[in-house]
Amino acid sequence: MPENEQSDDLHAMRHSLAHVLAQAVMKLWPDTKVTIGPPIDYGCYYDFLFKEPISDADFGKIEKEMKKIIHQGQTFRCDKLSPKDAKKYWKDLKQPFKVELIEDLEKNEGVKSVTHYANVGPKGEDTFVDLCRGGHLESTKEIPVDGFKIMNLAGAYWRGDEKREQLTRIYVAAFPSKEELAIYITQQEEAKKRDHRKLGKELDLFTFSDQIGPGLPLWTPRGTIITDAIEDLVKEKEAEGGYKRVHTPHIAKGSLYAQTGHLAHYKGSMFPPMKLDDGEEEYYLKPMNCPHHHQLFASRQRSYRDLPLRLAEYGHCYRYEDSGALFGLMRVRSLTMNDAHIYLTEEQFEEEFSAVIHLYLEYFRIFGIDKYNMRLSLHDPKELGKKYVDNSKLWLKTEEMVRGVMKKLGVSFKEVPNEAAFYGPKIDVEVWSAIGREFTLATNQVDFDVPGKVGLKYTDKDGTEKVPLCIHRAPLGTHERTVGFLIEHFAGHFPLWMAPSQIAVLPVADAHEAYGSEVAMELLKRGMRIEYMNATESLGKRIREGEQWRIPYLLVLGDREQQDNAVSVRNVRSKNQVTLPLQEFIQRTCEDIAERRLHPSIG
Amino acid sequence: MPENEQSDDLHAMRHSLAHVLAQAVMKLWPDTKVTIGPPIDYGCYYDFLFKEPISDADFGKIEKEMKKIIHQGQTFRCDKLSPKDAKKYWKDLKQPFKVELIEDLEKNEGVKSVTHYANVGPKGEDTFVDLCRGGHLESTKEIPVDGFKIMNLAGAYWRGDEKREQLTRIYVAAFPSKEELAIYITQQEEAKKRDHRKLGKELDLFTFSDQIGPGLPLWTPRGTIITDAIEDLVKEKEAEGGYKRVHTPHIAKGSLYAQTGHLAHYKGSMFPPMKLDDGEEEYYLKPMNCPHHHQLFASRQRSYRDLPLRLAEYGHCYRYEDSGALFGLMRVRSLTMNDAHIYLTEEQFEEEFSAVIHLYLEYFRIFGIDKYNMRLSLHDPKELGKKYVDNSKLWLKTEEMVRGVMKKLGVSFKEVPNEAAFYGPKIDVEVWSAIGREFTLATNQVDFDVPGKVGLKYTDKDGTEKVPLCIHRAPLGTHERTVGFLIEHFAGHFPLWMAPSQIAVLPVADAHEAYGSEVAMELLKRGMRIEYMNATESLGKRIREGEQWRIPYLLVLGDREQQDNAVSVRNVRSKNQVTLPLQEFIQRTCEDIAERRLHPSIG
């Protein structure tokens, strides 16, 4: 669930609405067992055990009942019960889940009393009671009656335990106004259309194979054009930034990851080892590239003159995510990371860390990402020696270094405790796609711990040996998540420089094939990626096909175009069509590609 | 050991020389135990168990003794002994290894007699007797007395078994003439200087880490420039050839490799599996890319219109080579393969297979490989169902298809039985480096088996479903072996387009720094890889440094160059120096790089 930034009022409204939902359901199906129902970032849900399954067809009925309750202006009354009385109350009502919850509260928290909230109807009668910690509106009347909508049903196990009862979860969207609800619903519909799993299949960008395994995407030829285009961009920007490219293997001995601390702090996310039977050590798939880059640093004598040393690699890492947690390209087991490690002195920190933040902003500009949010993830003193390396002084020092740079840069950020990497603080960047979906994309981390642990050192000006700091950075995260995000962000309408097919050539009829070939050859000579769609199918059908494949430009070539050495350009995204001389089209398109412009400039 | 093409005469000479070597050693150190001593492709060796260790310092003494024996013109007499008599003979001489050999001959081959060869001296006396199958010269006089040289000592276990005695192996180079021996020795010395492990370290191209593991090279920034340059070349050539690039993960479920036949035929070369503890299947590192590409083929409906479909990937495979077999970049455990799989109909076979052979020849031209040899590797009927898929008819048919194409192409090749891939015949290419070292680099294989096994199909013109053929091809083998070969082939003097640093800029003195910076900026603007060596060190020292790093051009910039807007270009390979206008230098160098010329054209 993303960060919840809703106000207290909104939270109370959504929480109150969950009570209203439960009350409505109990009125309609009195045999139902109730469980729990919290507010969420777009409304609320409630989990029920129904005697007979319900369906989407019942939503209208439930909403009608909910509106009735809202109109009644029911109030909320708090009752304190002893656990004993509370259990008796729910046992009498044949509500075993509530009894179980109270038993757990006794056992785990040793509570002496539990609060219940009763809805009080217009005649002063109790209409519905729930076990609850509170936080409601004064009256159900304050719930905007046209600001909510039942969205969908989902299965959910009681307490998330697959060995327990399977419940029905009812999701409700709830907003302060009808208009805000409408915006949310439109976004959801658009998001469904843009779902990267759906578009990825339609546009043949990537695939999964049951035989290879879940969470292991295969990039098709069209998808590889996109990842290669991103990689070319990155190589260019990193070359400008003084990075040096390297390549490292995908496995290493367990002893390496023991030394770096990955086995101590990160083993749960790693694939199990490969055990060689000749007495050689166990080998692991690398979960991160840093231990490998550290070995490259260590492969030669280093002096202060070599620093900062910026080693970059689109490195493939493997992380063992639970199969249930896998989600399209967003959560996978094989990750192609836009990785680099910058080895540097403390004096170089500000400049290097700032350069990384600037690189983020440059990428955001190129991809048209207007909304982003930087989070400074800090350690938690309680987890020192467990989740985090045990050096309070260095934690505070490096956190202050990062805070200082961010303030100096004037980039706004918020601080989040207990989210750091095990070896140091980091800046994570959340971005929002064109339709407002949120993704955590980039990361920029300081490491004050591992370089020393693995014995990295350089000779300083004064001849002494020192341990370098290390910045771990991945402005474009992984290919998997970046492409997943961009598919949804662009709704499959990639900028020309990334588009798998940039231009389709459509001669209107057989008579225009010769001119069509001529145009095609001209474009191919400039290295453009074209589809040639000859006139065996109707023009309308071919245009629809070009649109389905989200080819940015369709060139329609008929008598007039042939005569004038021109092209009629249909911009698939805007659906505008303009006619212009072939040479002008070529020149402007070459520029759009070379400049990596966000939108094709014609039509 | 590479193919032995020596004539019978040469073989007999080298074999006879091994007897001479053993006789000389026994004369000098009568307590020595003899074992075996075969001819090899440049001479012969013999393994001994010495009582006291010998060293290089003893070579002269042994050679002198050998020459004496040669001059005596000893003849070879064959004696047939019963195993019993033979064992007694060697027991009496206290030569236990010979006794063991005879016991094994009795046990394994059930021999009734064993042959011994006695050298007969000038007085008719037996000078030395060895257990031997024969194949000698008439007389030791026929051995060219100045055509041999003891090269080196090496440790070797008796019968290659590390639990048995460690023996001393004496290697002797032996050729028909003094001149041929001299050529061989020069080649060996050159080879030592060019050894890719030595140069790889000196030029900082790659490294290994004990902590990551043996056989797992890490490409440094300078090495990555070379692999990236090769990859860019390959991408360009493959784009021209209609290949489409893909990316696939490095692991897959065991069931996939069971289905493809890899677990049945190839498991010994694979890393052990990773066993997930949640009941999911075992995962393996991929030993080849084909099973993954097959899954991409299978990810969509395919029709005859999609064929040939050429899927290309510089794919990383992992093979479990015994740690003792690992050798620099030549035999490794992680392989970056210049891989592609071409799915096609039988009618398309000739054209596609020929195009692959032409691609080989194009790469050989670019890398200046003049000497190569193509081998058609066939199945062995005796191994059907074991080493090879059990379909005699398809073996004969596809072997004939390959034979036919090769003959039509007019490329010479030789046929080698029992060297095919498990799924079909192949053409392997051996190449020779500039100093005559041989490498097996490229492969082009036909697969008539696996596509059917994994259910690949396409819809043909007539609407029926058919199974495609598959060509597996890797013209540039692996990055590891190709770069290893090229380091030795070029002695580290890479062509400009591949050189990690292309040009060094050396202002003669501080006064020329301004002009030096100007020249450097001009080169950087053209994307050239330069090193700027300022005048803090002497010019001589900087030139030596540039030579050590094998930077193709050193630009020396003094008063005259500055005044004339010129550069003095020192060609590091030829050591020639010429002065020419800066703009001419830039233009010619840009051309050399763009055309991927083998040698820098200036100086």
Side-chain angles (χ1 to χ4, degrees):
Chain A
M1 200 59 56
E3 284 283 301
N4 198 327
E5 306 225 28
Q6 56 192 298
S7 66
D8 289 351
D9 284 356
L10 190 52
H11 189 269
M13 184 272 274
R14 286 166 172 170
H15 180 180
S16 304
L17 189 67
H19 285 250
V20 172
L21 168 64
Q23 183 181 154
V25 164
M26 293 308 292
K27 178 119 190 239
L28 292 165
W29 296 281
D31 282 341
T32 306
K33 309 296 177 203
V34 286
T35 66
I36 55 161
I40 52 176
D41 69 339
Y42 64 87
C44 63
Y45 70 76
Y46 207 109
D47 287 350
F48 302 97
L49 184 62
F50 284 97
K51 206 161 178 193
E52 303 289 337
I54 66 159
S55 77
D56 298 16
D58 297 308
F59 288 178
K61 198 157 62 178
I62 303 171
E63 283 172 357
K64 200 172 151 195
E65 201 57 47
M66 287 169 78
K67 285 182 183 169
K68 221 186 277 178
I69 296 164
I70 291 170
H71 282 304
Q72 286 176 357
Q74 298 185 4
T75 55
F76 291 85
R77 185 190 72 236
C78 178
D79 301 319
K80 269 193 189 175
L81 277 74
S82 70
K84 195 181 149 197
D85 290 347
K87 283 188 287 184
K88 183 172 183 315
Y89 174 80
W90 290 109
K91 260 183 209 158
D92 291 347
L93 288 172
K94 300 205 173 97
Q95 289 291 357
F97 298 110
K98 293 291 183 189
V99 178
E100 189 179 331
L101 287 172
I102 297 162
E103 282 167 350
D104 283 0
L105 283 172
E106 281 183 283
K107 203 168 62 187
N108 300 333
E109 302 181 27
V111 294
K112 299 283 176 256
S113 71
V114 287
T115 53
H116 283 64
Y117 279 81
N119 276 116
V120 183
K123 293 168 195 157
E125 81 284 17
D126 284 5
T127 53
F128 177 72
V129 176
D130 208 346
L131 171 70
C132 177
R133 289 188 202 261
H136 305 99
L137 302 172
E138 286 294 310
S139 158
T140 57
K141 262 217 171 102
E142 295 171 36
I143 299 172
V145 75
D146 50 5
F148 79 92
K149 186 177 189 308
I150 300 179
M151 298 300 288
N152 61 302
L153 301 177
Y157 292 105
W158 170 234
R159 316 204 117 175
D161 178 351
E162 62 193 62
K163 292 184 195 86
R164 298 295 306 269
E165 294 83 351
Q166 204 190 336
L167 310 172
T168 301
R169 176 170 297 176
I170 302 179
Y171 281 105
V172 183
F175 289 86
S177 69
K178 188 177 168 181
E179 291 69 32
E180 282 162 275
L181 176 66
I183 290 168
Y184 175 76
I185 289 170
T186 308
Q187 274 181 355
Q188 286 310 101
E189 282 163 3
E190 189 58 32
K192 242 186 234 171
K193 271 190 256 166
R194 293 178 176 222
D195 186 315
H196 78 279
R197 295 165 303 173
K198 180 175 161 282
L199 276 181
K201 206 183 166 87
E202 282 172 24
L203 303 180
D204 194 18
L205 300 180
F206 61 90
T207 187
F208 289 92
S209 154
D210 286 344
Q211 281 158 288
I212 287 174
L216 300 168
L218 289 84
W219 294 101
T220 61
R222 297 175 65 81
T224 304
I225 289 171
I226 294 174
T227 56
D228 279 359
I230 295 175
E231 217 157 310
D232 286 344
L233 163 69
V234 160
K235 283 182 176 173
E236 192 182 305
K237 293 291 168 197
E238 289 180 351
E240 286 167 18
Y243 289 80
K244 295 177 172 183
R245 307 208 75 75
V246 298
H247 276 301
T248 60
H250 304 92
I251 58 173
K253 288 179 183 173
S255 55
L256 178 67
Y257 299 119
Q259 193 193 29
T260 55
H262 285 84
L263 282 182
H265 297 285
Y266 207 75
K267 193 173 182 181
S269 301
M270 291 168 68
F271 271 75
M274 290 167 276
K275 297 180 191 200
L276 300 178
D277 40 34
D278 65 352
E280 265 199 79
E281 263 192 86
E282 296 182 348
Y283 281 79
Y284 284 87
L285 282 170
K286 65 177 172 187
M288 298 182 184
N289 298 302
C290 34
H292 288 63
H293 290 184
H294 295 344
Q295 290 303 308
L296 271 171
F297 184 93
S299 71
R300 291 182 88 80
Q301 283 269 348
R302 305 289 178 184
S303 97
Y304 69 95
R305 280 188 225 91
D306 299 322
L307 304 187
L309 180 66
R310 310 175 192 88
L311 300 182
E313 175 176 26
Y314 246 109
H316 290 254
C317 299
Y318 286 83
R319 296 188 186 166
Y320 181 58
E321 299 279 355
D322 193 82
S323 59
L326 299 173
F327 179 74
L329 290 179
M330 292 301 167
R331 197 168 278 265
V332 290
R333 287 178 174 175
S334 70
L335 302 92
T336 317
M337 292 187 68
N338 170 217
D339 219 347
H341 295 90
I342 307 174
Y343 302 89
L344 71 169
T345 67
E346 228 179 278
E347 296 72 52
Q348 293 164 339
F349 177 78
E350 184 181 321
E351 192 176 338
E352 291 298 315
F353 201 85
S354 304
V356 173
I357 301 287
H358 282 301
L359 193 56
Y360 286 176
L361 301 178
E362 169 70 357
Y363 288 141
F364 295 168
R365 184 191 65 74
I366 291 171
F367 291 117
I369 298 169
D370 304 323
K371 195 178 164 198
Y372 53 84
N373 190 20
M374 305 220 178
R375 296 151 49 104
L376 166 54
S377 297
L378 308 168
H379 79 296
D380 179 343
K382 287 197 292 292
E383 295 281 347
L384 282 176
K386 286 174 278 182
K387 204 167 151 190
Y388 305 111
V389 291
D390 198 3
N391 190 331
S392 185
K393 212 176 116 191
L394 275 174
W395 274 107
L396 294 173
K397 180 177 164 185
T398 48
E399 286 172 1
E400 188 49 40
M401 281 163 64
V402 177
R403 195 179 282 124
V405 174
M406 294 300 285
K407 283 186 181 158
K408 203 158 171 183
L409 279 173
V411 181
S412 74
F413 65 99
K414 61 178 175 178
E415 305 203 0
V416 191
N418 201 14
E419 298 244 324
F422 74 79
Y423 41 66
K426 58 176 179 169
I427 294 287
D428 282 332
V429 188
E430 301 157 326
V431 298
W432 279 262
S433 73
I435 52 158
R437 285 191 75 181
E438 179 200 9
F439 299 83
T440 298
L441 203 62
T443 189
N444 190 7
Q445 315 179 345
V446 191
D447 183 350
F448 59 77
D449 179 61
V450 183
K453 262 187 195 153
V454 300
L456 303 192
K457 54 195 180 210
Y458 67 95
T459 309
D460 207 352
K461 280 176 201 163
D462 59 6
T464 60
E465 284 193 338
K466 290 191 179 153
V467 176
L469 270 177
C470 179
I471 292 175
H472 306 232
R473 43 110 283 177
L476 288 178
T478 65
H479 268 334
E480 290 73 18
R481 187 170 285 196
T482 300
V483 175
F485 169 81
L486 291 178
I487 291 172
E488 302 196 356
H489 183 60
F490 293 129
H493 292 287
F494 287 98
L496 273 170
W497 65 275
M498 299 179 77
S501 302
Q502 296 167 321
I503 300 160
V505 177
L506 291 74
V508 173
D510 288 348
H512 313 109
E513 292 272 354
Y515 181 58
S517 308
E518 196 185 303
V519 170
M521 284 309 300
E522 288 278 317
L523 302 177
L524 284 173
K525 267 199 308 201
R526 268 90 177 177
M528 295 182 192
R529 299 183 288 269
I530 71 156
E531 302 288 335
Y532 189 81
M533 297 181 168
N534 65 24
T536 47
E537 300 283 1
S538 77
L539 187 61
K541 194 170 171 194
R542 285 181 282 153
I543 288 176
R544 277 193 301 283
E545 205 185 325
E547 287 170 344
Q548 275 160 10
W549 284 103
R550 309 280 205 281
I551 300 172
Y553 286 142
L554 310 182
L555 301 191
V556 179
L557 308 176
D559 286 339
R560 223 189 47 197
E561 287 80 10
Q562 182 162 343
Q563 202 181 310
D564 301 349
N565 204 24
V567 289
S568 283
V569 184
R570 193 179 166 90
N571 180 320
V572 162
R573 190 153 175 265
S574 70
K575 309 222 169 184
N576 293 333
Q577 186 158 329
V578 293
T579 303
L580 72 174
L582 173 60
Q583 288 312 321
E584 186 188 336
F585 171 76
I586 289 175
Q587 193 203 321
R588 289 175 63 181
T589 303
C590 282
E591 262 181 46
D592 283 354
I593 294 170
E595 302 288 328
R596 294 196 177 92
R597 290 198 182 119
L598 200 53
H599 300 298
S601 62
I602 301 165
Chain B
M1 202 56 57
E3 285 282 302
N4 196 327
E5 306 224 28
Q6 58 191 296
S7 67
D8 289 352
D9 284 357
L10 191 52
H11 190 268
M13 184 273 273
R14 287 167 172 171
H15 181 179
S16 304
L17 189 66
H19 285 250
V20 172
L21 168 63
Q23 184 183 152
V25 164
M26 293 309 292
K27 180 119 188 239
L28 292 166
W29 297 278
D31 283 341
T32 305
K33 310 296 175 200
V34 287
T35 65
I36 56 163
I40 51 177
D41 69 341
Y42 64 87
C44 63
Y45 70 77
Y46 207 109
D47 288 349
F48 303 96
L49 184 62
F50 284 97
K51 206 162 176 192
E52 303 289 336
I54 65 160
S55 77
D56 297 17
D58 297 308
F59 289 179
K61 196 156 65 178
I62 304 171
E63 282 172 359
K64 200 172 152 196
E65 201 58 46
M66 288 169 77
K67 285 181 183 170
K68 224 186 276 175
I69 296 163
I70 292 170
H71 283 304
Q72 286 178 356
Q74 299 186 3
T75 56
F76 292 84
R77 186 191 72 236
C78 179
D79 300 320
K80 269 194 186 174
L81 278 75
S82 72
K84 197 180 148 196
D85 289 347
K87 282 188 288 185
K88 184 173 181 313
Y89 174 80
W90 290 110
K91 260 181 210 160
D92 290 348
L93 288 172
K94 300 203 174 101
Q95 290 289 359
F97 298 110
K98 294 290 182 188
V99 177
E100 188 179 331
L101 287 171
I102 297 161
E103 283 168 350
D104 283 0
L105 283 171
E106 282 181 282
K107 203 166 63 185
N108 300 333
E109 301 182 27
V111 294
K112 298 285 176 256
S113 70
V114 287
T115 54
H116 282 63
Y117 279 82
N119 277 116
V120 183
K123 294 167 193 159
E125 81 285 15
D126 284 3
T127 54
F128 178 72
V129 176
D130 209 346
L131 170 72
C132 175
R133 288 185 202 265
H136 304 98
L137 301 172
E138 286 295 309
S139 157
T140 57
K141 263 219 172 98
E142 295 171 38
I143 299 171
V145 77
D146 50 6
F148 80 92
K149 185 177 189 309
I150 300 179
M151 298 301 287
N152 60 303
L153 302 177
Y157 291 105
W158 170 235
R159 313 204 119 176
D161 179 351
E162 61 193 63
K163 292 184 195 85
R164 298 295 307 269
E165 293 82 353
Q166 204 189 336
L167 310 173
T168 301
R169 178 170 295 175
I170 302 179
Y171 282 104
V172 182
F175 290 86
S177 69
K178 188 178 167 180
E179 291 69 32
E180 282 162 275
L181 175 66
I183 290 168
Y184 174 77
I185 288 170
T186 309
Q187 273 181 356
Q188 286 309 103
E189 281 163 2
E190 189 58 32
K192 242 186 234 171
K193 272 189 254 164
R194 291 177 179 225
D195 187 316
H196 77 279
R197 294 166 302 172
K198 181 175 161 283
L199 276 182
K201 205 181 166 87
E202 283 171 22
L203 302 179
D204 193 18
L205 301 179
F206 60 91
T207 187
F208 289 92
S209 155
D210 286 344
Q211 280 158 289
I212 286 174
L216 300 168
L218 289 84
W219 294 100
T220 61
R222 296 176 65 82
T224 304
I225 290 171
I226 295 175
T227 57
D228 278 0
I230 295 175
E231 216 157 311
D232 287 344
L233 164 70
V234 159
K235 282 183 178 175
E236 191 182 306
K237 294 291 168 196
E238 288 180 353
E240 284 167 21
Y243 289 80
K244 295 177 173 182
R245 306 207 76 75
V246 297
H247 277 300
T248 61
H250 304 92
I251 58 173
K253 287 180 183 173
S255 54
L256 177 69
Y257 299 119
Q259 192 193 32
T260 55
H262 286 84
L263 283 182
H265 298 285
Y266 206 75
K267 192 173 182 180
S269 301
M270 291 167 67
F271 271 76
M274 288 165 275
K275 297 181 191 198
L276 300 179
D277 40 33
D278 66 351
E280 265 200 78
E281 263 192 86
E282 295 181 348
Y283 282 78
Y284 284 89
L285 282 170
K286 66 177 172 186
M288 298 184 184
N289 297 302
C290 35
H292 287 63
H293 291 183
H294 295 345
Q295 289 303 308
L296 271 171
F297 184 94
S299 71
R300 292 182 88 79
Q301 283 269 349
R302 304 288 180 186
S303 97
Y304 68 94
R305 279 187 225 94
D306 299 321
L307 304 187
L309 180 67
R310 309 175 193 89
L311 300 182
E313 175 175 24
Y314 246 109
H316 291 255
C317 298
Y318 286 83
R319 295 188 188 166
Y320 182 58
E321 299 279 354
D322 193 80
S323 59
L326 299 173
F327 180 74
L329 290 178
M330 292 302 168
R331 197 168 279 265
V332 288
R333 288 178 172 173
S334 70
L335 303 92
T336 317
M337 294 187 68
N338 170 219
D339 218 347
H341 294 91
I342 306 174
Y343 301 89
L344 70 170
T345 67
E346 228 177 280
E347 297 74 49
Q348 294 164 338
F349 177 78
E350 185 181 321
E351 192 175 331
E352 291 297 317
F353 201 85
S354 304
V356 173
I357 302 286
H358 283 300
L359 193 55
Y360 286 177
L361 301 178
E362 170 69 356
Y363 288 140
F364 295 167
R365 183 191 64 74
I366 290 171
F367 291 115
I369 298 169
D370 304 323
K371 196 177 163 199
Y372 53 84
N373 190 19
M374 305 218 178
R375 299 149 49 102
L376 167 53
S377 297
L378 307 168
H379 78 297
D380 179 344
K382 287 196 294 290
E383 294 281 346
L384 283 175
K386 283 174 280 181
K387 202 167 151 189
Y388 305 113
V389 292
D390 197 2
N391 190 331
S392 184
K393 214 175 116 190
L394 274 175
W395 274 107
L396 295 173
K397 180 178 164 184
T398 47
E399 285 172 1
E400 188 48 40
M401 281 164 64
V402 176
R403 196 179 282 123
V405 174
M406 294 299 286
K407 283 187 181 157
K408 204 159 171 182
L409 280 173
V411 181
S412 75
F413 65 100
K414 62 180 175 176
E415 305 203 359
V416 191
N418 201 16
E419 299 243 323
F422 74 79
Y423 41 65
K426 58 176 179 167
I427 294 287
D428 282 332
V429 188
E430 299 156 329
V431 298
W432 279 263
S433 73
I435 52 160
R437 286 191 73 180
E438 179 199 9
F439 299 84
T440 299
L441 202 64
T443 189
N444 190 7
Q445 315 180 344
V446 192
D447 182 350
F448 59 77
D449 179 60
V450 182
K453 261 187 197 155
V454 298
L456 303 192
K457 54 197 180 205
Y458 67 95
T459 309
D460 208 351
K461 279 177 199 160
D462 59 6
T464 60
E465 284 192 339
K466 289 189 179 154
V467 176
L469 271 177
C470 179
I471 293 175
H472 306 232
R473 43 111 282 179
L476 288 180
T478 65
H479 269 332
E480 289 74 18
R481 189 169 284 196
T482 300
V483 174
F485 168 82
L486 292 178
I487 291 172
E488 303 196 357
H489 183 59
F490 293 128
H493 292 286
F494 288 98
L496 273 171
W497 65 275
M498 299 179 78
S501 301
Q502 296 168 321
I503 300 160
V505 177
L506 291 75
V508 173
D510 288 347
H512 313 109
E513 292 273 354
Y515 182 57
S517 307
E518 196 187 302
V519 170
M521 284 310 300
E522 287 279 316
L523 302 177
L524 283 173
K525 267 200 307 203
R526 269 87 176 177
M528 294 182 193
R529 297 183 288 269
I530 71 156
E531 302 288 335
Y532 189 81
M533 297 180 168
N534 65 26
T536 46
E537 301 282 0
S538 77
L539 188 62
K541 192 170 172 196
R542 285 180 283 155
I543 287 176
R544 279 194 301 282
E545 203 185 327
E547 287 169 345
Q548 276 161 9
W549 285 102
R550 309 281 205 282
I551 300 172
Y553 286 142
L554 310 182
L555 302 191
V556 179
L557 308 176
D559 285 340
R560 222 190 49 199
E561 288 79 9
Q562 183 164 341
Q563 198 181 311
D564 300 349
N565 204 25
V567 288
S568 283
V569 185
R570 193 178 166 90
N571 180 319
V572 162
R573 191 153 174 265
S574 71
K575 310 222 168 181
N576 293 332
Q577 186 158 328
V578 294
T579 303
L580 70 174
L582 173 61
Q583 290 311 320
E584 186 188 335
F585 171 76
I586 289 175
Q587 194 202 321
R588 288 175 64 180
T589 303
C590 283
E591 260 180 48
D592 283 355
I593 294 170
E595 302 290 328
R596 294 196 178 90
R597 288 196 184 121
L598 201 51
H599 300 299
S601 63
I602 300 165

